[in-house]
Amino acid sequence: MSSAKYPMLSSTIPLYNYLMDELEKYCTNYDNSSDIVVAVKMGIKKLNRYYLKTDDTTMYTVATGKLIIN
């Protein structure tokens, strides 16, 4: 979520999306151990918990340039 010494808020949501997509893909691969899939699903749940917190402030929206003004 940061680059060098500076936080990169604009990359937070895309990074969450990437991580959750990759972890969900991992869970659909039937060759993976069921124990690991359970752990990965718990990781997805934790990521989603923090991802939903991005709705609590407009800073993420502004940082990603997706603010719609009516």
Side-chain angles (χ1 to χ4, degrees):
M1 312 280 177
S2 65
S3 175
K5 295 181 182 180
Y6 306 101
M8 302 297 290
L9 188 58
S10 62
S11 64
T12 301
I13 291 175
L15 182 56
Y16 274 120
N17 289 337
Y18 173 78
L19 288 171
M20 288 191 289
D21 288 346
E22 291 300 311
L23 291 173
E24 287 170 2
K25 277 194 262 183
Y26 183 88
C27 290
T28 60
N29 184 345
Y30 296 107
D31 293 334
N32 294 324
S33 164
S34 62
D35 292 335
I36 295 174
V37 168
V38 169
V40 168
K41 286 182 179 181
M42 293 302 294
I44 293 169
K45 185 176 177 180
K46 179 68 82 172
L47 282 171
N48 194 46
R49 178 176 160 210
Y50 288 103
Y51 182 81
L52 292 175
K53 290 180 183 282
T54 64
D55 289 337
D56 294 342
T57 178
T58 58
M59 293 309 295
Y60 290 96
T61 305
V62 171
T64 57
K66 296 183 181 181
L67 182 64
I68 298 171
I69 300 172
N70 292 324

